[in-house]
Amino acid sequence: RAVFHRAEQVADVGDADGGHPGSREHGPVIRRWTAPQEAVVRIRGRLQHDADAGDGVLAYLISDRHGLLGQWSARNSNTPTRVDAVHMLPGDTLDFVVACGADENSDSFTWAPKVEVSAGADGVTARWDARADFGGPTESLTPMDAWEQYAQVLLMTNEAAFVD
């Protein structure tokens, strides 16, 4: 089963609906979709940045086999993110990347793209929605103990997340 999941080097907060990219030193929010079979896919979504402050966000769709498929930006606005007819082989990946502009101030965004798959002559279609299908491999994860949970909470505080 193909799923949306965060790539291994996600530097800042990201979830099924969007997130907040880190600075240029800390990196963007990245979600990855892996093709379960040979298929032609199309992507539909809407990149949204609601803050009046900040310089907005930049979004990219990158295929491991085809390279850059699309790029969009939003600053206190929203923009459609559409890509048609990308031929994928089993195991090919699409990375949905959102980075800050010049700085990461007020760069929270919403982007929950959908991948629509048409496979074979029979036209069988499947759809994956980042909002509903966002997840990752959970079989290798073990629950955190109390100290690990405490450390995670401390790392999520503003004092740890932002450097003055």
Side-chain angles (χ1 to χ4, degrees):
R1 159 166 145 69
V3 294
F4 282 94
H5 62 86
R6 280 189 264 187
E8 296 166 7
Q9 293 299 318
V10 174
D12 223 312
V13 178
D15 62 25
D17 289 319
H20 190 101
S23 65
R24 295 203 181 269
E25 296 82 33
H26 294 102
V29 173
I30 304 171
R31 288 180 284 172
R32 176 171 288 164
W33 181 82
T34 303
Q37 63 194 40
E38 184 171 359
V40 174
V41 302
R42 71 181 194 166
I43 291 82
R44 298 290 183 261
R46 183 163 296 277
L47 175 67
Q48 186 166 336
H49 175 266
D50 290 329
D52 291 330
D55 58 358
V57 294
L58 308 169
Y60 306 92
L61 178 59
I62 302 167
S63 162
D64 65 333
R65 197 158 54 88
H66 302 292
L68 182 65
L69 298 174
Q71 65 183 60
W72 307 272
S73 63
R75 180 174 182 259
N76 194 19
S77 65
N78 65 72
T79 186
T81 57
R82 301 171 57 103
V83 174
D84 291 314
V86 179
H87 182 250
M88 305 286 289
L89 296 175
D92 282 356
T93 61
L94 295 175
D95 286 337
F96 297 83
V97 180
V98 180
C100 65
D103 64 59
E104 71 276 11
N105 177 42
S106 301
D107 281 346
S108 291
F109 69 93
T110 302
W111 189 27
K114 295 174 176 69
V115 178
E116 299 174 349
V117 178
S118 299
D122 60 2
V124 173
T125 301
R127 289 178 182 83
W128 283 272
D129 180 336
R131 186 167 285 123
D133 301 319
F134 182 84
T138 57
E139 61 277 353
S140 64
L141 300 178
T142 57
M144 291 189 283
D145 66 29
W147 284 109
E148 291 169 326
Q149 291 176 29
Y150 180 67
Q152 180 70 28
V153 169
L154 289 176
L155 289 171
M156 291 172 34
T157 64
N158 279 345
E159 288 78 9
F162 298 102
V163 178
D164 291 331

